[in-house]
Amino acid sequence: MFKIENNSDHVLVEHLKSGDEASFQVLFNRYQEDVYFYAKSLVKIDVQAEEIVQDVFIKVWVSKHLLKPKKSFKAFIFTIARNLAFNFLKKAANDRELMNRVFYESIESHKPTDINLTEAEYKNLSERAITSLPPRCQLIFKMSREEGKSYEEISDELNISANTVKNQMTKALGNIREFLSLHGDIAFLLALLWNC
């Protein structure tokens, strides 16, 4: 007897494009756990990982007519999950209470015997991320984070507009996050960057 669960992702996505709820349910059941563990590896917080799973599949359902059956469905949903996780981590970087929670969960997820080594490795990685910035970005980032100067003070000292300083900081943070996302555990590194 034919079972919908036995269909490939390509076939299920083709049916999902037409609004087939059964195909959507099979895809959800097939990937919800993988998406959860992937999101949890990034955000560290159970509840947030669960929310990301829900948001991923809501986006899939809402934009089902745009799906491309010949493309990898798994790669598609993992990209959505990654973007949602990074959006959450960007918010955490600007919210001390939330960042502390992510940092605590990140520490808890490491083996106690590995914490000192991992922290040293992450600190080194954090420094590499900063030195990878273009010279002006790096200078402004260090003046802001290491010297504790305001955008106005940096603006006066470098004889540039405060808006330019803000734009350079936005660029610096974006570049650092991208570097860290490719080379390490971004949740842990956000906490290190807070104190750079």
Coordinates of all heavy atoms in Angstrom, one line a residue, residues 5 20 35 40 46 48 50 54 56 62 70 78 100 107 110 112 123-124 129 140 144 151 156 158 160-161 164 184:
E5 N 4.6 8.9 3.6 CA 5.8 9.1 4.3 C 7.0 8.6 3.5 O 8.1 9.0 3.8 CB 5.8 8.4 5.7 CG 4.8 8.9 6.7 CD 3.4 8.4 6.5 OE1 3.1 7.6 5.6 OE2 2.5 8.8 7.3
D20 N -0.8 21.0 0.0 CA -1.1 19.7 0.6 C -0.6 19.6 2.0 O 0.6 19.6 2.2 CB -0.5 18.6 -0.3 CG -0.8 17.2 0.3 OD1 -2.0 16.9 0.5 OD2 0.2 16.4 0.5
V35 N 16.3 20.3 12.8 CA 16.3 21.7 12.9 C 16.5 22.2 14.3 O 17.2 23.1 14.6 CB 15.0 22.3 12.3 CG1 15.0 23.8 12.5 CG2 15.0 22.1 10.8
K40 N 19.6 24.7 18.4 CA 20.1 24.7 19.8 C 21.6 24.8 19.8 O 22.2 25.4 20.7 CB 19.7 23.4 20.4 CG 20.2 23.1 21.9 CD 19.4 23.9 22.9 CE 20.0 23.8 24.3 NZ 20.0 22.5 24.8
D46 N 16.9 26.2 25.0 CA 15.9 25.2 24.5 C 14.7 25.9 23.9 O 14.2 25.6 22.8 CB 15.4 24.3 25.7 CG 16.5 23.3 26.1 OD1 17.3 22.9 25.3 OD2 16.5 22.9 27.3
Q48 N 14.2 28.9 22.9 CA 14.5 29.7 21.7 C 14.7 28.7 20.5 O 14.2 29.0 19.4 CB 15.8 30.5 21.8 CG 16.0 31.5 20.7 CD 14.8 32.5 20.6 OE1 14.3 33.0 21.6 NE2 14.4 32.8 19.4
E50 N 13.2 25.9 20.1 CA 11.9 25.4 19.8 C 11.1 26.5 19.0 O 10.4 26.1 18.0 CB 11.1 25.0 21.0 CG 11.6 23.8 21.7 CD 11.1 23.6 23.1 OE1 10.2 24.4 23.6 OE2 11.6 22.7 23.8
Q54 N 9.5 26.3 15.1 CA 8.1 26.7 14.7 C 8.2 27.8 13.6 O 7.5 27.7 12.6 CB 7.4 27.3 15.9 CG 7.1 26.2 17.0 CD 6.3 25.1 16.5 OE1 5.3 25.2 15.8 NE2 6.6 23.9 16.9
V56 N 10.6 28.4 11.4 CA 11.1 27.8 10.2 C 9.9 27.3 9.4 O 9.7 27.6 8.2 CB 12.1 26.8 10.4 CG1 12.4 25.9 9.2 CG2 13.5 27.4 10.8
V62 N 4.0 29.5 4.8 CA 3.5 30.8 4.2 C 4.1 31.0 2.8 O 3.4 31.6 1.9 CB 3.9 31.9 5.2 CG1 3.8 33.3 4.5 CG2 3.1 31.9 6.4
K70 N 13.1 20.9 -6.9 CA 14.4 20.3 -7.4 C 15.6 20.7 -6.5 O 16.6 20.1 -6.5 CB 14.7 20.7 -8.8 CG 13.7 20.0 -9.8 CD 14.1 20.3 -11.2 CE 13.0 19.7 -12.2 NZ 13.3 20.0 -13.6
F78 N 17.5 24.7 6.7 CA 18.6 25.0 7.6 C 19.1 26.4 7.4 O 19.6 27.0 8.4 CB 19.8 23.9 7.4 CG 19.7 22.7 8.3 CD1 18.5 21.9 8.2 CD2 20.6 22.4 9.2 CE1 18.4 20.8 9.0 CE2 20.5 21.3 10.0 CZ 19.4 20.5 9.9
N100 N 23.8 37.3 28.7 CA 24.3 36.5 29.8 C 23.6 35.2 29.9 O 24.2 34.2 30.2 CB 24.0 37.3 31.1 CG 24.9 38.5 31.3 OD1 26.0 38.5 30.7 ND2 24.5 39.4 32.1
I107 N 28.2 27.9 28.4 CA 29.1 27.3 29.4 C 28.6 26.0 29.9 O 29.3 25.0 30.0 CB 29.2 28.3 30.6 CG1 30.1 29.5 30.2 CG2 29.9 27.6 31.8 CD1 31.5 29.2 30.0
H110 N 29.3 22.9 27.7 CA 30.6 22.4 27.6 C 31.0 21.5 28.8 O 30.5 21.7 29.9 CB 31.6 23.6 27.6 CG 31.6 24.3 26.3 ND1 30.7 25.3 26.0 CD2 32.5 24.3 25.2 CE1 30.9 25.8 24.8 NE2 32.0 25.2 24.3
P112 N 33.0 20.5 31.9 CA 33.8 21.3 32.8 C 35.3 21.2 32.6 O 36.0 22.2 32.7 CB 33.5 20.7 34.2 CG 32.1 20.1 34.0 CD 32.1 19.6 32.6
K123 N 39.0 33.1 23.0 CA 39.6 34.4 23.2 C 40.5 34.7 22.0 O 40.5 35.8 21.4 CB 40.3 34.6 24.5 CG 40.8 36.0 24.8 CD 39.7 37.0 24.9 CE 40.2 38.4 25.2 NZ 39.1 39.4 25.2
N124 N 41.3 33.7 21.6 CA 42.2 33.9 20.5 C 41.5 34.1 19.2 O 41.8 34.9 18.4 CB 43.1 32.6 20.4 CG 44.0 32.6 19.2 OD1 43.7 32.1 18.1 ND2 45.1 33.3 19.4
A129 N 39.3 37.6 14.9 CA 38.1 38.2 14.2 C 38.3 39.8 14.1 O 38.0 40.4 13.1 CB 36.8 37.9 14.9
I140 N 38.2 52.0 14.9 CA 36.9 52.5 15.5 C 36.4 51.5 16.5 O 36.0 51.9 17.6 CB 35.9 52.9 14.4 CG1 36.4 54.2 13.7 CG2 34.5 53.1 15.0 CD1 35.6 54.5 12.5
S144 N 36.0 52.2 20.5 CA 34.7 52.0 21.2 C 34.7 51.0 22.3 O 34.3 51.2 23.4 CB 33.6 51.7 20.1 OG 32.4 51.4 20.8
Y151 N 30.6 57.4 20.4 CA 30.7 57.7 19.0 C 31.1 59.2 18.8 O 31.8 59.5 17.9 CB 29.3 57.4 18.3 CG 29.0 56.0 18.2 CD1 27.8 55.6 17.6 CD2 29.9 55.0 18.6 CE1 27.5 54.2 17.4 CE2 29.6 53.6 18.5 CZ 28.4 53.3 17.9 OH 28.1 51.9 17.7
D156 N 35.1 63.2 17.1 CA 35.9 64.3 17.3 C 37.4 64.0 17.1 O 38.2 64.7 16.4 CB 35.7 64.9 18.7 CG 34.4 65.6 18.8 OD1 33.7 65.9 17.8 OD2 33.9 65.7 20.0
L158 N 38.8 61.5 15.4 CA 39.2 61.1 14.0 C 38.8 62.1 12.9 O 39.0 62.0 11.8 CB 38.6 59.8 13.7 CG 39.1 58.6 14.5 CD1 38.4 57.3 14.1 CD2 40.6 58.4 14.5
I160 N 35.8 62.8 11.8 CA 34.7 62.3 10.9 C 33.4 62.4 11.6 O 33.3 62.7 12.8 CB 35.0 60.8 10.6 CG1 35.1 59.9 11.9 CG2 36.3 60.6 9.8 CD1 35.3 58.5 11.7
S161 N 32.3 62.3 10.9 CA 31.0 62.4 11.5 C 30.6 61.3 12.4 O 31.1 60.2 12.2 CB 29.9 62.6 10.3 OG 29.7 61.3 9.7
T164 N 29.3 58.4 10.5 CA 30.3 57.6 9.9 C 30.8 56.6 10.9 O 31.1 55.4 10.6 CB 31.5 58.4 9.3 OG1 31.0 59.3 8.3 CG2 32.6 57.5 8.8
G184 N 33.7 29.5 14.7 CA 33.6 29.1 16.1 C 32.2 29.1 16.6 O 31.2 29.3 15.8

